[in-house]
Amino acid sequence: MRAAARLTALELEVDSAGTGAWHVGNPPDERAQATALQHGVDISDLRARQVEAEDFDRFDYIFALDRENLANLESMAPAGSQGRVRLLMDCVSGREGQAVADPYYGADDGFAATWRDVSTAAEAIAARLKK
């Protein structure tokens, strides 16, 4: 999302967090890092964190990659919070309702497919915000 924002000259605060705490403090998977580097994006300095209640007011949009995480986020959102929780692929015409595949337990090429999905969504979001 940061790369898409730079390409469209948008100034955005972008962050990433999980609904669970199992990877907190860890860097991204080495395969994710390699895939990002292939596309000119260095994510090696990122560290996992868990979604916090404050995130729902800190961010205008909170995107989930699949329906399970969408449901988790919706249940975590404090009453009256401002952040809108959505499924990421709902931002891509023709992909509404679809999940981004989790490549973690699969083959390395799954990270390329996930990169394509999230990049396509990021470009769509950036274009929409630029209008």
Side-chain angles (χ1 to χ4, degrees):
M1 188 66 232
R2 288 181 188 104
R6 276 193 301 275
L7 288 173
T8 55
L10 286 171
E11 290 191 31
L12 302 176
E13 181 179 2
V14 178
D15 202 355
S16 177
T19 56
W22 46 89
H23 295 292
V24 168
N26 294 334
D29 184 287
E30 290 181 9
R31 297 166 295 173
Q33 290 185 51
T35 300
L37 273 177
Q38 289 173 352
H39 296 277
V41 178
D42 182 1
I43 60 171
S44 63
D45 63 331
L46 300 179
R47 295 297 177 264
R49 72 175 190 86
Q50 189 172 11
V51 173
E52 301 171 341
E54 297 80 26
D55 291 337
F56 293 92
D57 286 319
R58 180 177 168 202
F59 298 102
D60 295 326
Y61 296 96
I62 297 176
F63 294 103
L65 300 188
D66 60 39
R67 291 202 176 279
E68 180 180 353
N69 282 297
L70 178 65
N72 290 341
L73 286 165
E74 290 171 339
S75 71
M76 295 169 75
S81 60
Q82 300 300 310
R84 289 170 265 180
V85 179
R86 298 182 59 190
L87 192 62
L88 182 66
M89 296 312 288
D90 283 352
C91 299
V92 178
S93 181
R95 298 285 310 270
E96 297 88 348
Q98 294 181 18
V100 173
D102 183 351
Y104 190 75
Y105 294 106
D108 291 356
D109 63 349
F111 284 85
T114 297
W115 180 269
R116 282 190 302 274
D117 281 353
V118 298
S119 295
T120 299
E123 291 164 7
I125 293 166
R128 191 171 300 161
L129 290 173
K130 191 67 175 174
K131 289 180 183 180

